[in-house]
Amino acid sequence: ELKVEQNPLFLSMQEGKNYTIYCNYSTTSDRLYWYRQDPGKSLESLFVLLSNGAVKQEGRLMASLDTKARLSTLHITAAVHDLSATYFCAVTFGNQFYFGTGTSLTVIP
Amino acid sequence: EAGVVQSPRYKIIEKKQPVAFWCNPISGHNTLYWYRQNLGQGPELLIRYENEEAVDDSQLPKDRFSAERLKGVDSTLKIQPAELGDSAVYLCASSLAWRGVLEQYFGPGTRLTVT
């Protein structure tokens, strides 16, 4: 069974600080997705990482993928309150998506 | 372009009652997913359709849950009878493969409360 684990599960950080969310998965997959979910809302796609060494950046968020280590990171630079949300990583096996446990991020002014 | 549409957005029922959820995927998306998301957890797949065919329903509790996707477009998910543990958000998603990359789009979800 494919497992996807994220850590930390909860993250409280001050505005302006940097932090990294980690996503580990148990079975080879070369597609790694990051989603954002605001409270009471659905999931919004942030990044799709397609290959080993892939790096994508959007604003204060940067995602990377190491397929050999089965690890993806989501780095937050100079956090702002608007980034408060739950972040999920997911991998695909065939056409099926497997989601991580989620990281609930709260940015404190 | 309209996104994935789901209805109702909220539903409160008593246990042992039936309930049904409806999903209209993005036009042209052949793959449709139903997920259940419990509070504080990630989405868990219930069933996946490729066009009209259910290709993965291993996580669907078949004693009380059923789903259908007529004509390979809209889909309904039914629970009969509902139990307290069924309280969750039910998400529908559709996907399209573009240049070998699968992109999945989620609907707003239906929040079910079973009392």
Side-chain angles (χ1 to χ4, degrees), chain B residues 32-96:
Chain B
L32 183 147
Y33 310 77
W34 281 104
Y35 292 92
R36 176 168 57 191
Q37 185 177 25
N38 293 309
L39 189 63
Q41 298 182 21
E44 295 178 326
L45 181 72
L46 291 173
I47 189 167
R48 173 168 64 93
Y49 282 93
E50 296 289 344
N51 298 304
E52 296 179 354
E53 183 181 359
V55 295
D56 187 345
D57 62 355
S58 58
Q59 301 301 314
L60 191 72
K62 297 181 182 62
D63 56 337
R64 297 183 300 108
F65 285 65
S66 65
E68 62 180 6
R69 189 182 184 195
L70 298 177
K71 300 181 181 179
V73 181
D74 294 3
S75 178
T76 56
L77 178 68
K78 298 178 182 178
I79 308 174
Q80 181 171 8
E83 296 179 352
L84 295 176
D86 296 331
S87 294
V89 175
Y90 291 82
L91 295 166
C92 179
S94 66
S95 68
L96 180 67

Side-chain angles (χ1 to χ4, degrees), chain B residues 7 12 15 19 38 41 43 52 75 80 98 113:
Chain B
S7 68
I12 301 174
K15 62 181 180 181
V19 65
N38 293 309
Q41 298 182 21
E52 296 179 354
S75 178
Q80 181 171 8
W98 175 250
T113 303

